[in-house]
Amino acid sequence: MRQAVMCLCLLLLSATHAVADRAAYVDLARQGWNYQLRTTMVGRDLSIPVHINGRDLAGASLCLVGERPHPNSLEVINAFRALARHVFGKPLPMRYAGAGAENCGSGRTVVLRLYSGHPPNQALSDDLSWMNAVYQLGLPSRRYFAATSPAMAQTFFGRRGLGTHIMVKQPRRGTVGALEQSFYTSILVEELFQSFTFGMDILIFDRAAAFQSKLQETPLNLERMPWESRGFMRALLQSNPRGLCAFDVFMMHAVAEAPVDQTTEPGFIDYVDTAYDTLAAQAAETMADTRFAALIAPRCQRAPV
């Protein structure tokens, strides 16, 4: 009898945790995929329709420009390509196109500019000018763009499709230490994940709170710190997890499989709720796959610095 009661208590405790996990995931999904176009670029053509589905870039190609990828960058990119193919069922081909985006072609392409040292703002402006012409993005002509952080991604909606541009700082030549490796891995993983799922930042102001997602971040004021300084790297690594958490992998599967027109509509959140058990099982299997180890933060913790 005592053993039966203990078993029943364990089952009830397990069920309670499962319900709590489901509620937490649904709430996070609602925050991260509730995309709001709160502001728009001054002068942009507002008549261009906006349609947001997190799997719109499934099967697109990845075009690298600027510097050739550092070995650390290449490891992360290739792991993400493998993850995207595993989840979305479509390959993510990649090629290096040289100095500028104009060599990337006009198909379904995500431009990824890698750089070290100072941000190449003129090259960024040239990339976006070319994308503006190809995809008819309606951006202001002769606009100069400047990097506001060491990693940034922008998706524009045009009359000829999406235009996605990612620019990420990478290590200089040679080997890197543990701090630098964690930092450069973290910022590259974040931009790739957000670009290919349309998940948005989730601010978490409690510095002692546990993370559940790479989308979560603690706001910091780092304006006066050089991006290559160890202090900047340490601070940024403490602001959110180093890699993808179980929730993030869960949401990749949800984005890939949800039978909705847009992943910003209430039906998408309903799907996350109803398909929770299936998605959680898929995420657990994916998290355990060693091919994706370079991307994963199993305990979803701030990186040790």
Side-chain angles (χ1 to χ4, degrees):
M1 179 64 71
R2 181 178 297 174
Q3 289 180 337
V5 171
M6 289 179 63
C7 288
L8 179 60
C9 290
L10 289 173
L11 287 172
L12 289 173
L13 184 61
S14 177
T16 300
H17 282 307
V19 171
D21 289 344
R22 180 195 297 264
Y25 273 33
V26 170
D27 183 59
L28 274 176
R30 188 176 289 112
Q31 295 178 62
W33 276 263
N34 183 27
Y35 201 90
Q36 300 291 329
L37 296 177
R38 291 176 291 244
T39 60
T40 188
M41 185 179 298
V42 175
R44 182 181 177 273
D45 184 352
L46 299 180
S47 69
I48 299 174
V50 174
H51 182 275
I52 300 175
N53 190 306
R55 58 176 170 271
D56 280 344
L57 294 178
S61 62
L62 192 60
C63 183
L64 273 57
V65 298
E67 294 180 355
R68 289 189 176 274
H70 184 277
N72 186 74
S73 304
L74 190 60
E75 180 185 17
V76 172
I77 293 168
N78 283 335
F80 187 84
R81 292 174 61 213
L83 176 61
R85 181 165 191 162
H86 171 75
V87 172
F88 293 106
K90 296 180 180 180
L92 179 55
M94 178 182 72
R95 70 186 182 94
Y96 176 72
E102 67 273 8
N103 298 317
C104 287
S106 58
R108 294 179 61 242
T109 301
V110 174
V111 177
L112 171 57
R113 175 171 288 280
L114 296 170
Y115 73 98
S116 59
H118 296 293
N121 292 328
Q122 185 58 59
L124 169 64
S125 299
D126 293 342
D127 289 347
L128 294 181
S129 177
W130 172 82
M131 291 172 61
N132 190 31
V134 169
Y135 298 106
Q136 294 188 3
L137 304 178
L139 303 181
S141 60
R142 296 184 296 276
R143 173 72 181 267
Y144 183 78
F145 296 87
T148 56
S149 68
M152 52 188 290
Q154 303 174 85
T155 292
F156 302 97
F157 299 88
R159 299 193 183 282
R160 293 181 178 172
L162 296 178
T164 297
H165 187 281
I166 306 171
M167 190 166 83
V168 181
K169 189 175 178 62
Q170 67 171 356
R172 298 180 186 270
R173 295 179 182 274
T175 59
V176 294
L179 173 63
E180 290 80 5
Q181 183 181 25
S182 293
F183 172 76
Y184 290 114
T185 294
S186 176
I187 60 176
L188 181 54
V189 168
E190 182 168 348
E191 301 308 326
L192 289 171
F193 172 69
Q194 291 194 265
S195 295
F196 281 84
T197 63
F198 271 99
M200 63 186 294
D201 292 340
I202 302 172
L203 297 183
I204 180 169
F205 294 96
D206 183 358
R207 296 178 183 272
F211 289 118
Q212 289 185 287
S213 171
K214 181 65 172 165
L215 297 177
Q216 293 176 306
E217 62 178 48
T218 303
L220 299 172
N221 184 0
L222 303 177
E223 291 182 2
R224 297 182 180 276
M225 300 182 70
W227 294 350
E228 290 188 342
S229 69
R230 296 180 69 82
F232 181 91
M233 293 183 185
R234 288 192 184 97
L236 205 65
L237 283 169
Q238 289 294 295
S239 70
N240 79 349
R242 176 184 183 274
L244 301 181
C245 306
F247 169 79
D248 304 318
V249 178
F250 172 100
M251 289 304 298
M252 285 191 75
H253 283 286
V255 164
E257 299 173 25
V260 294
D261 180 54
Q262 298 192 72
T263 48
T264 54
E265 62 189 62
F268 178 59
I269 306 303
D270 293 340
Y271 175 78
V272 170
D273 189 10
T274 58
Y276 173 83
D277 292 334
T278 299
L279 295 171
Q282 291 175 321
E285 182 179 353
T286 300
M287 290 278 289
D289 194 319
T290 57
R291 292 177 297 168
F292 318 132
L295 311 171
I296 303 298
R299 291 177 291 175
C300 199
Q301 294 177 319
R302 294 173 172 85
V305 292

